[in-house]
Amino acid sequence: MRVAVIGAGVVGVTTAYFLAQNGHQVSVIEQRGNVSEEASLGHAGLLGAAHLTPFAAPGMPKQILSHFFKTDGAINLRPSVNVTHWRWLRSWLRECSLEGLLANKEKMQRLGRYSQQLLSELSHSHNLDFQQRSGILQLFRNVKEQKKIIAGLALLSDADLPFQQLDTAACHQLEPALNKDTSLAGGLYLPQDGNGNCVLFTKQLKLVAQQLGVEFEFLTKCEQIIPNKNGATLHLKKAEQTGQQQFDAVVLASGASSTPFLKNIGINLRIAQFQSYSNTANIKNLDDSPRLSIIDESEQIAITRMDKRIRIAGTLHLGKRKNTADERAWQKLRNVGTDWFPDAANYHTGQNWSGHHLMLSDSTPVLGRSAVKNIFVNCAHAEYGWAMATGSGKILADLISGKSPEIDLDGLTVLR
Ligand SMILES: Cc1cc2nc3c(=O)[nH]c(=O)nc-3n(C[C@H](O)[C@H](O)[C@H](O)COP(=O)(O)OP(=O)(O)OC[C@H]3O[C@@H](n4cnc5c(N)ncnc54)[C@H](O)[C@@H]3O)c2cc1C
């Protein structure tokens, strides 16, 4: 089949790779000049299944409310007049029960484990090298935060995902560079999770995909998808030139820009756009830098190593924010970096970045067939698109090739 994948972020490139492996003729349509130039560019790089946690959880509404009147830039869910935001918030509140948390975490871990296994196979078979590091240490600044994770630990055991609950001293022993002056109640060590450089991975996989025959059409924007009985016609624009191309099937992997396309193909799930931020600074003292990937659970901010750089990423703003909000978010990241690793880098000279992603109220992506024949979706991976990309890509390729996906898709499709 002739298949178009719209979007060359990590999700689009992995989908194209698996489609080509199944013998399809694949074109990736990308408006930017290369792969991974949008949300896949500057994120924290966290990988694995055990740390995947839905944004909706008991206690979260209270935590969010406390941020309503703060201007520290950490979490900002203040809805605008936008009716989509209000609908998303209402639906998100319904997911904030214990049952919701456990059900959504199970779905995320199902896809995360599958992705982890495929990523390992892919890296091995193509000798991919993308600065992988093992081990995530989740930190809790107080006992109240620490207690919140207890409900999810049984799911980790059920899924055979190893973990270790640590007291303060054990956290410092495992991660000696952690600042002893910052209050810490304890941690959770996830040895099978870790992080990696998503841009390096995507660029390497692009080369492998090209060797399999995948064509990348860069600087080309898909303006419209017109379904027809033989598939769909794409209206494309490249350097002021417009044209049309017919495909047998189309995969939407267009990240945060997917909303108008999703509406046109009748997908009416509660999806909202979010903005998150990162700061990447060169390491100045290796001995004072993290060895593991750190997640400050109380602040919902990650600190990861990218070879000789440190990346601090997180903060969550509903919709698009004004520049002043951006500045506060980056300041928050620098503060958290300084809290835990004060001498590792000059964070104020680091590179500021922000990216957009789509999140459903249950935090799980939308995968598979849409209501329109031959149009498929692979979107809304929220804050975990890199950790879920390989599984999502393989599932899409299997469905398009008429094969049964290797994992249960219950709760991950358009029907939920
Ligand atoms: C600060 C931050 C931290 C994060 N941390 C992590 C993390 O630690 N681990 C993790 O797994 N995830 C993380 N994420 C989430 C992750 O970045 C995303 O889920 C993931 O990159 C989404 O990949 P994607 O390919 O769907 O989207 P993108 O990378 O945004 O790719 C979509 C592509 O589609 C193209 N496109 C869109 N519309 C069109 C069109 N009409 N025509 C042509 N091209 C089009 C865009 O140009 C873009 O290149 C984080 C995100 C942020 C912002």
Side-chain angles (χ1 to χ4, degrees), residues 38-39 256 274-278 353-357:
E38 292 276 336
F274 286 80
Q275 187 166 2
S276 297
Y277 298 78
S278 71
W353 175 85
S354 81
H356 295 97
H357 51 81

Side-chain angles (χ1 to χ4, degrees), residues 252-371:
L252 268 183
S254 36
S257 307
S258 305
T259 319
F261 292 128
L262 292 173
K263 279 196 181 131
N264 283 347
I265 54 171
I267 295 183
N268 251 332
L269 297 168
R270 292 287 167 252
I271 299 183
Q273 192 180 122
F274 286 80
Q275 187 166 2
S276 297
Y277 298 78
S278 71
N279 172 282
T280 309
N282 291 330
I283 288 177
K284 67 172 185 186
N285 291 316
L286 269 177
D287 291 348
D288 296 322
S289 303
R291 294 184 321 172
L292 301 166
S293 302
I294 304 294
I295 305 178
D296 179 331
E297 279 295 324
S298 308
E299 298 288 358
Q300 305 266 308
I301 286 173
I303 305 174
T304 52
R305 280 275 295 274
M306 302 267 164
D307 194 22
K308 296 195 175 79
R309 297 174 302 156
I310 291 187
R311 182 164 292 162
I312 315 166
T315 64
L316 194 65
H317 292 184
L318 177 58
K320 289 189 177 178
R321 293 285 151 181
K322 296 202 179 92
N323 291 344
T324 48
D326 290 349
E327 273 313 319
R328 283 198 292 268
W330 285 312
Q331 185 57 49
K332 178 77 191 177
L333 297 178
R334 290 192 290 268
N335 291 347
V336 171
T338 310
D339 280 352
W340 293 114
F341 301 99
D343 300 316
N346 292 328
Y347 300 111
H348 60 279
T349 60
Q351 200 177 354
N352 289 331
W353 175 85
S354 81
H356 295 97
H357 51 81
L358 296 183
M359 180 164 30
L360 264 86
S361 48
D362 66 3
S363 302
T364 63
V366 198
L367 308 179
R369 293 175 201 289
S370 71

Side-chain angles (χ1 to χ4, degrees), residues 165-178:
Q165 286 180 278
L166 305 178
D167 62 16
T168 310
C171 289
H172 284 289
Q173 202 173 0
L174 194 64
E175 183 54 274
L178 269 186

Side-chain angles (χ1 to χ4, degrees), residues 19 21 45 61 80 98 136 145 147 160 191 249-250 255 300 355 369 405 411:
L19 280 165
Q21 280 235 319
S80 61
L98 182 60
I136 287 183
E145 294 296 338
K147 281 188 180 154
D160 279 333
V250 175
Q300 305 266 308
R369 293 175 201 289

Side-chain angles (χ1 to χ4, degrees), residues 44-53 105 108-109 112-117 119 130-138 156 159-164 188-196 291-295 297 304 384 386-387:
L46 296 173
L47 283 169
H51 75 283
L52 304 179
T53 305
K105 198 168 165 72
M108 296 171 88
Q109 284 180 348
R113 282 176 67 204
Y114 183 48
S115 297
Q116 197 170 19
Q117 175 207 324
L119 183 66
F130 47 94
Q131 300 173 340
Q132 302 97 310
R133 297 178 77 87
S134 295
I136 287 183
L137 176 60
Q138 292 178 288
L156 296 184
D160 279 333
L161 293 168
F163 65 89
Q164 227 177 312
L188 185 71
Y189 177 49
L190 307 171
Q192 277 184 5
D193 285 13
N195 83 302
R291 294 184 321 172
L292 301 166
S293 302
I294 304 294
I295 305 178
E297 279 295 324
T304 52
Y384 301 112
W386 163 222

